[in-house]
Amino acid sequence: MENNFKLKILSCKESDLKDIGLDKTYTHRALDKHRFKTLKIYGLSCAQANIIKQTALSSGTDCAVHREVITGKVETSDCILSGSIDELKKISEKLKYQPLKLSVLAQDIKNLLADNLSPITIRDFVLNWEEPYIMGILNITPDSFSDGGLYNSPENAVEHYKYLVENGANIVDIGGESTRPFSEKVSPQEEQNRVLPVIAKIREIDKKTILSIDTRNASTAKKALELGVDIINDVSATEWDSDIQKVACEYNCPIILGHASASPDIMQHHTDYKDVVEEIFNYFYQKIDFLTFLGIEKHNIIIDPGLGFGKTTQQNFEIINRIEEFKTLGCPILVGHSRKKFIRETLETEDLEELDEATAILTQKLIEKKVNIIRVHNVKLNNIAKKLSKSFF
């Protein structure tokens, strides 16, 4: 008898269940039985790991732990827990009643499965994270890697700002210091001379659009906020000037934390990661914990894995491919991939049109992976990519 079986891997959606004829009144409830997640849990004691493993087995799935957990020959073990959403919910519910602080882990798993980010309200606008937001780049610098010198006067900068907004920028990121690889630092005073007049002119004509200030300097951030900027975007994640933490607390404003292996002048000499995603994840985990301790509200923290900031081409693509792993941190994710060197090296081109097309292709992939903010030069093209992506997701 001829074998007519046909198989395919499926990312199950409710429409798939309806298509095969499942009772329509049951499809929504059934969805959690057919969607799967894999969680990694760090630093468990042997007793904790054993309880989680047994709980997973009793819930119809499994949990991978260190081979010596059962003997107690190791002090701690990471574990990998996989299962359907339904199974993981059952595990979370059972762990609520277990000792050894596993009730705390139960709540963390529950929160993760809910996949809910707290909205950020900026004046009359709410960033609710129901769709990705496009951040347009406005470099007021003579030496940025892509558009240095093009908008280096207040008049040109304001005109380009208008163009970004007209073509769909939800946020405009204004910077006065190039942080491209091997760039030299700019004094705070020079940075402020570049950006503050432009911010003032923009706020004269537009008090609505969300603005962010791309700076590592606390004094620049503070003066920009006084002029009406809404968000701090610090590519050093407050490492360069720790006083920027106080500014974020004082103004109770959102802050974007960018990961970089070192300062821009030397960061490309520091790309030796054992696991680039794991190390960035652990860095953000500790940084978020520290900043919330200082008084910065977690819902005001946005994370940026820092593509190109001390990463090789291969590492940048690995970050994009595994970007969803950062969602466990519970913060919105921003990605800035536009026209960057890893795209240039892959395509072997410096042609801006080709680089923008490649950027838009990656934007679609990032939107598919539920990235929250896309930071780009060519807002028009990437907004088209965003609109097309809505048809798929």
Side-chain angles (χ1 to χ4, degrees):
M1 183 177 178
E2 186 179 355
N3 182 356
N4 291 318
F5 294 141
K6 184 170 71 173
L7 299 174
K8 76 169 184 176
I9 296 173
L10 184 70
S11 298
C12 191
K13 303 183 294 295
E14 190 170 354
S15 59
D16 295 313
L17 297 173
K18 291 178 179 177
D19 287 345
I20 65 167
L22 188 68
D23 187 339
K24 291 182 180 180
T25 63
Y26 182 65
T27 54
H28 185 69
R29 283 191 299 156
L31 190 58
D32 281 350
K33 296 179 182 293
H34 299 277
R35 292 189 302 162
F36 295 83
K37 279 189 180 291
T38 298
L39 313 180
K40 185 171 182 180
I41 307 170
Y42 298 81
L44 297 166
S45 68
C46 288
Q48 289 172 320
N50 272 316
I51 291 173
I52 294 171
K53 184 172 182 67
Q54 294 306 313
T55 303
L57 290 170
S58 70
S59 302
T61 184
D62 201 355
C63 177
V65 300
H66 192 285
R67 61 183 177 276
E68 297 295 349
V69 158
I70 195 168
T71 66
K73 292 182 179 179
V74 290
E75 289 187 10
T76 62
S77 172
D78 297 342
C79 82
I80 295 176
L81 176 63
S82 301
S84 68
I85 302 295
D86 193 54
E87 289 165 342
L88 293 173
K89 284 180 177 178
K90 289 178 181 177
I91 292 168
S92 174
E93 188 62 27
K94 291 178 180 180
L95 290 177
K96 280 169 55 176
Y97 306 101
Q98 295 292 343
L100 306 176
K101 298 184 179 179
L102 289 174
S103 60
V104 177
L105 176 63
Q107 186 61 46
D108 288 343
I109 293 174
K110 182 179 179 181
N111 293 341
L112 177 62
L113 295 177
D115 197 23
N116 291 329
L117 291 173
S118 299
I120 296 176
T121 300
I122 297 175
R123 296 184 308 282
D124 297 328
F125 194 87
V126 179
L127 298 172
N128 56 25
W129 314 119
E130 292 177 2
E131 65 175 33
Y133 297 100
I134 301 293
M135 174 185 277
I137 300 169
L138 180 55
N139 287 321
I140 310 170
T141 58
D143 55 348
S144 289
F145 74 90
S146 175
D147 54 5
L150 292 180
Y151 316 114
N152 209 19
S153 70
E155 295 73 23
N156 289 344
V158 171
E159 284 306 306
H160 189 60
Y161 168 83
K162 293 177 182 177
Y163 178 81
L164 293 172
V165 174
E166 287 168 2
N167 284 280
N170 307 111
I171 307 166
V172 176
D173 191 40
I174 303 172
E177 177 189 29
S178 174
T179 50
R180 74 190 193 286
F182 308 111
S183 60
E184 296 295 329
K185 67 179 180 180
V186 171
S187 72
Q189 185 59 55
E190 175 60 27
E191 180 186 39
Q192 291 161 31
N193 290 342
R194 295 173 181 178
V195 300
L196 296 183
V198 174
I199 293 169
K201 286 181 179 292
I202 287 172
R203 276 299 179 237
E204 286 177 8
I205 62 172
D206 181 358
K207 292 180 171 58
K208 183 178 179 180
T209 301
I210 296 173
L211 302 180
S212 60
I213 179 66
D214 182 0
T215 184
R216 301 181 288 170
N217 298 303
S219 59
T220 301
K222 183 176 176 66
K223 291 179 180 180
L225 290 166
E226 288 170 351
L227 287 173
V229 163
D230 308 288
I231 300 172
I232 299 171
N233 180 13
D234 183 356
V235 298
S236 80
T238 77
E239 303 280 355
W240 180 262
D241 182 352
S242 62
D243 283 345
I244 210 165
Q245 299 163 357
K246 298 176 185 176
V247 175
C249 284
E250 179 185 350
Y251 284 82
N252 192 29
C253 67
I255 181 167
I256 300 165
L257 307 176
H259 177 272
S261 62
S263 58
D265 55 327
I266 59 171
M267 62 189 178
Q268 287 310 114
H269 298 308
H270 297 266
T271 60
D272 186 20
Y273 303 90
K274 184 177 180 181
D275 181 326
V276 64
V277 173
E278 187 94 345
E279 291 185 39
I280 296 172
F281 178 93
N282 290 333
Y283 172 82
F284 278 135
Y285 186 91
Q286 295 170 15
K287 177 65 72 170
I288 292 167
D289 188 55
F290 176 68
L291 293 182
T292 52
F293 172 77
L294 291 181
I296 295 176
E297 297 182 26
K298 186 174 180 180
H299 78 267
N300 272 336
I301 296 175
I302 300 166
I303 59 171
D304 172 3
L307 298 183
F309 283 77
K311 287 91 177 176
T312 65
T313 292
Q314 182 179 356
Q315 288 164 352
N316 286 313
F317 279 114
E318 184 172 359
I319 291 167
I320 291 172
N321 195 46
R322 296 171 57 190
I323 195 73
E324 290 167 300
E325 294 183 30
F326 296 110
K327 285 193 168 293
T328 314
L329 295 165
C331 296
I333 301 169
L334 177 148
V335 173
H337 55 298
S338 184
R339 300 178 181 173
K340 287 197 170 174
K341 186 179 179 181
F342 73 97
I343 301 177
R344 296 166 185 253
E345 287 185 344
T346 301
L347 299 182
E348 297 181 341
T349 184
E350 294 292 329
D351 183 85
L352 286 187
E353 186 175 346
E354 292 180 12
L355 293 172
D356 282 343
E357 289 170 354
T359 297
I361 291 169
L362 288 178
T363 290
Q364 284 194 300
K365 184 174 181 66
L366 290 164
I367 291 173
E368 177 185 351
K369 290 178 173 291
K370 309 297 184 184
V371 166
N372 305 105
I373 302 175
I374 307 293
R375 184 179 183 273
V376 292
H377 296 87
N378 190 327
V379 165
K380 184 175 183 179
L381 187 59
N382 284 273
N383 200 38
I384 291 171
K386 171 184 170 179
K387 290 177 180 177
L388 283 174
S389 297
K390 288 183 179 179
S391 301
F392 294 101
F393 315 113

